[in-house]
Amino acid sequence: MDKRIGAQYYTLRDYTKTISDFEDTCARISKIGYKIVQISGTPLGAAQMREVLDRYGLQVVTTHRSFDDFQNNLSEIMDYNRTLGCELCGVGSMPGWARESGENLRRFIEEAGKAAAELRKEGFYFGYHNHAFEFAKVDGRYIMDRLIQETDEDAFRFIADTYWLQAGGMDPASFLRKLGGRAMAVHFKDLKVNVDNSTEMAEVGEGNLDWDSIIGVCEEAGVKWALVEQDVCRRDPFESMKMSYEYLTGKGFC
């Protein structure tokens, strides 16, 4: 496992809308100590981002694009990831229609599988990012079970999210052990329980997840990259990213 902890730029999506803001974000992330990143939530082109990323010594290891792009712009997705220098082409979620029936889910799996096969021919991997709904049943079967069982284990990989695994009723460490090497990347995101019985996303180490177990399983399973993500921050997102980085460097990351 690469012990360079990564920064998921979706956390910083409000600061990557222009190339000027993107450069400022890269400078700040690099200063915190991050060396690898995921590109997500920005409208910028790959070439202009790559120039900035190289200037700050930041390596892109995965991206997120919409499933509509995978259906209609697959060649462009390959060019985008090739320019950024990464092999894992991620989709943030399946579209809403795919969850409406077992037949629709079958269609999504078939179409995603075709995209994954085409990507693999060119040296890329398809990466599916989970939320909690994948642990619901459609027509009597768990969505996640079908995603695992009905896809090619080499071409169709996962970008597992620890917060959403817990929210979906799974023990993150146990589920990551089940996925094994198919989890090429993992989003490190904590879940904090409040006294009013609510839960919220939190900086890594500020919530209730068992990070020693999660990190240990990631190392055993052959996960390639771990990236900090926090969809909603309770403070300045850069401060949240700094807090998570400092906690994880205390756990052996750099």
Side-chain angles (χ1 to χ4, degrees):
M1 182 181 183
D2 193 331
K3 298 313 291 277
R4 298 174 300 165
I5 189 67
Q8 214 298 44
Y9 271 20
Y10 184 74
T11 310
L12 307 165
R13 58 196 177 277
D14 292 335
Y15 306 90
T16 61
K17 301 302 183 187
T18 68
I19 194 63
S20 175
D21 285 347
F22 185 82
E23 176 147 13
D24 182 61
T25 291
C26 288
R28 295 176 73 177
I29 283 296
S30 177
K31 185 176 180 180
I32 290 170
Y34 287 99
K35 299 175 181 66
I36 65 173
V37 301
Q38 174 176 344
I39 297 298
S40 178
T42 176
L44 299 173
Q48 60 182 163
M49 288 191 289
R50 179 65 187 268
E51 182 178 344
V52 175
L53 291 157
D54 287 349
R55 188 150 57 240
Y56 291 95
L58 296 169
Q59 178 189 351
V60 180
V61 296
T62 185
T63 59
H64 268 180
R65 296 282 294 272
S66 71
F67 188 63
D68 181 68
D69 276 345
F70 280 89
Q71 289 177 296
N72 301 307
N73 303 304
L74 192 59
S75 293
E76 189 272 328
I77 283 180
M78 292 187 204
D79 289 341
Y80 182 86
N81 282 271
R82 191 176 288 114
T83 299
L84 288 171
C86 65
E87 61 183 355
L88 183 57
C89 308
V91 62
S93 179
M94 67 175 65
W97 60 259
R99 320 171 210 170
E100 293 173 356
S101 68
E103 176 58 26
N104 282 12
L105 181 57
R106 182 205 61 77
R107 189 179 118 212
F108 169 78
I109 290 171
E110 182 179 283
E111 292 178 5
K114 288 178 180 176
E118 289 302 310
L119 287 167
R120 196 71 200 97
K121 289 177 186 175
E122 298 298 322
F124 299 104
Y125 296 90
F126 180 91
Y128 183 84
H129 172 260
N130 70 280
H131 292 81
F133 71 79
E134 289 87 357
F135 300 96
K137 288 183 177 179
V138 173
D139 290 355
R141 295 183 63 191
Y142 290 109
I143 294 172
M144 182 59 81
D145 284 349
R146 294 194 61 182
L147 291 175
I148 294 171
Q149 295 165 10
E150 298 177 25
T151 56
D152 179 75
E153 64 180 25
D154 179 44
F156 191 108
R157 303 296 182 94
F158 292 89
I159 300 170
D161 187 299
T162 57
Y163 173 94
W164 290 117
L165 288 174
Q166 186 71 55
M170 300 293 108
D171 171 64
S174 296
F175 192 79
L176 287 167
R177 186 175 288 110
K178 176 181 177 180
L179 278 182
R182 290 190 74 177
M184 281 187 74
V186 176
H187 284 168
F188 280 10
K189 182 189 306 178
D190 217 333
L191 183 151
K192 181 178 181 291
V193 178
N194 299 313
V195 293
D196 63 359
N197 227 23
S198 65
T199 60
E200 62 181 322
M201 295 176 183
E203 296 79 11
V204 180
E206 294 291 308
N208 295 66
L209 298 190
D210 183 350
W211 289 105
D212 288 336
S213 294
I214 291 169
I215 293 166
V217 169
C218 285
E219 291 173 338
E220 294 167 12
V223 170
K224 296 190 76 168
W225 306 290
L227 303 112
V228 171
E229 180 183 44
Q230 192 173 338
D231 308 23
V232 180
C233 297
R234 302 170 295 164
R235 50 178 56 84
D236 177 87
F238 290 96
E239 179 62 23
S240 291
M241 294 297 284
K242 185 174 187 289
M243 290 173 64
S244 292
Y245 178 83
E246 289 177 347
Y247 176 82
L248 288 165
T249 54
K251 296 290 184 181
F253 287 90
C254 62

